[in-house]
Structures are given as structure tokens and as C-alpha cells.
Amino acid sequence: MKQPTSVPSLPAPPEVRVRFGTATAKAERYAGWLAGPGVERGLLGPREVDRIWGRHLLNCAVLDQYLPRGSSVCDLGSGAGLPGLVLALLRPDCSMVLLEPLLRRATFLEEVVADLEISGVTVARARAEDYASQDRRHDAVVARAVAPLDRLVGWAMPLLRPGGVLLAQKGAAAFDELEAARPALDRWGVGERDVLVVAEGGSVTYIVRVARPLHPPRTQRPAEDE
Ligand SMILES: C[S@@+](CC[C@H](N)C(=O)[O-])C[C@H]1O[C@@H](n2cnc3c(N)ncnc32)[C@H](O)[C@@H]1O
């Protein structure tokens, strides 16, 4: 659906202009969608409007550096498009699936994608468990504020190609979550895992990075492969 032109852009502060470069105009329009229809439709709390740039768009932008060129990416539990839409703006070389089960949110995403005329972005209305059964495989799965890591691992691994990575944005409890997810990670035979601590723009972001192994252990094959 082509979006009404009544959604005003939100002017970006200088640090956002530097970070988004030529994508700044589209980032401003996306921020306008979040601050306007996003709040009206209950996708974003009204108190978040003042924090759209720092707490939301710039916070999501830090994932950009961990996506290899030309990656196929899935934003699991995209909500209003975070972090997937931010990454799609910054990385036109990547393809992006915004995976979101709720109709209201998926509709919002479709409207924003159409209005911003971003290519390479698809909205998939599904739960990760169901989308996985459609036999899709991505180079990276990104997720922010979706589920505890042990559950997220179970949802994300089937969406990844062998060697693909889950990049989960977490709070300061990221190290504890990684420890608590050990049984889930072992079930998948995950060896490569770490927490990336990124200090950018005056705030710290914790990213749990987990790679799907090239070969699952024969004795502990996940149900998906049985
Ligand atoms: C708290 S919101 C976070 C949205 C966005 N990632 C953000 O950071 O603003 C969690 C989102 O995960 C979605 N979600 C919950 N369970 C899911 C599942 N099984 N598969 C895919 N998405 C799911 C919800 O519909 C919701 O939009």
C-alpha cells in the first residue's frame, strides 16, 4: 500500500547524519513513521519519541559492521522494523527479511517499506518456528528484544545456513544469558560464541554472536534434521 504523504519526517541530529550518510533522508522518514503512526498504533511508547535516534536507530546501526557484504539477513521479531529496517537503510548490498507474526506490525512494516521505496526488503508474516519449516536459510539472523537467548537460539538456528551467524542485541546481562543458553547451544553443537561489547555514540551495546556449526554433532542432531 502506498503510504499517505501526511507522515512528516523527523529531523536527524548531526551524529545521525554522519552515521547514515546518503540514507539520512530515508532514516528521517522512517523516524517520522515511528513517531507518528508507530505511536498511534501502539508499536512504540509515546515516551520513546525523544529517544528514537539514540536508543533505537543508532543503537541498531551498530550491527552493520558484523554483516559481511551481500549477506542475506533475517530480522527475527522485527516489530516496528528494529533492527532490520535500520540495517536495510545502511546496507543496500544485503537482502533483508523482516519476520514478524503480528498483523498490525507486519502491516506497518509493509507500509513503511513501500513508502521508503527500499529495495531488497521483504516482510514475512510468520512466527520463526513456522517460517523455519519453509526451509529458508540466511547468512545472518538479527534480533533485538525478542526472547531469552536459549529460546532465541532454538528459533534462529533453523533459519541459518551452516556457518551463518545469529547476532542478538542484549542488555548488560548478555554474558549471563550466554551461560544460561549453554544447553541449547550444545544441542546445536555450537562452538563459536561470544559477546561483542560495542561502545558507540556514548552508549554501550551488547551483541551475542553465535555461529551455526558447519556440521551438527551426529549424536545430538536437532529435531529439525531428524
Ligand atoms: C518486544 S518486541 C521487539 C521488536 C523489535 N525487535 C524491537 O527491538 O523494537 C518482540 C517482537 O517479537 C515478535 N515475536 C514474538 N514471538 C515471535 C516468534 N515466535 N517468531 C517471530 N517473532 C516473534 C513479537 O511479535 C514482537 O514484535
Side-chain angles (χ1 to χ4, degrees):
M1 181 199 298
K2 185 76 186 163
Q3 172 14 95
T5 46
S6 58
V7 177
S9 295
L10 205 67
E15 65 273 23
V16 171
R17 293 178 172 278
V18 170
R19 187 69 179 81
F20 282 76
T22 55
T24 298
K26 289 192 176 185
E28 289 179 325
R29 190 139 179 92
Y30 175 40
W33 269 90
L34 290 171
V39 172
E40 285 157 26
R41 299 183 201 178
L43 275 62
L44 195 79
R47 277 183 291 186
E48 295 303 307
V49 171
D50 289 343
R51 304 194 272 196
I52 278 180
W53 294 113
R55 185 172 179 174
H56 297 290
L57 273 73
L58 285 173
N59 175 253
C60 292
V62 300
L63 288 173
D64 166 21
Q65 59 196 301
Y66 302 109
L67 297 177
R69 195 164 171 73
S71 295
S72 153
V73 185
C74 175
D75 178 16
L76 194 168
S78 189
L82 300 165
L85 270 176
V86 171
L87 294 171
L89 289 175
L90 290 169
R91 296 295 301 276
D93 57 295
C94 295
S95 63
M96 177 67 65
V97 172
L98 305 174
L99 182 60
E100 172 53 51
L102 295 186
L103 176 62
R104 196 162 39 100
R105 297 178 186 194
T107 302
F108 175 88
L109 292 172
E110 278 167 359
E111 291 176 24
V112 176
V113 169
D115 181 44
L116 268 54
E117 297 177 336
I118 320 174
S119 58
V121 180
T122 310
V123 179
R125 188 181 161 221
R127 296 183 311 155
E129 308 88 301
D130 304 327
Y131 179 73
S133 68
Q134 293 169 25
D135 206 24
R136 301 238 166 74
R137 296 289 184 271
H138 296 275
D139 300 313
V141 169
V142 294
R144 191 183 85 142
V146 175
L149 188 65
D150 55 350
R151 204 182 313 155
L152 199 56
V153 164
W155 289 346
M157 286 293 134
L159 306 186
L160 288 167
R161 65 163 173 78
V165 289
L166 164 65
L167 297 165
Q169 278 185 279
K170 292 288 178 185
F175 294 95
D176 295 337
E177 281 206 47
L178 191 57
E179 186 55 33
R182 189 190 286 257
L185 295 167
D186 289 348
R187 264 198 305 283
W188 280 92
V190 169
E192 285 180 58
R193 57 186 89 169
D194 53 4
V195 179
L196 306 158
V197 183
V198 190
E200 204 177 287
S203 67
V204 177
T205 304
Y206 299 83
I207 302 165
V208 178
R209 179 170 59 182
V210 172
R212 179 170 178 167
L214 291 173
H215 307 288
R218 284 185 180 280
T219 52
Q220 294 176 316
R221 291 169 76 90
E224 178 223 10
D225 293 340
E226 286 169 354

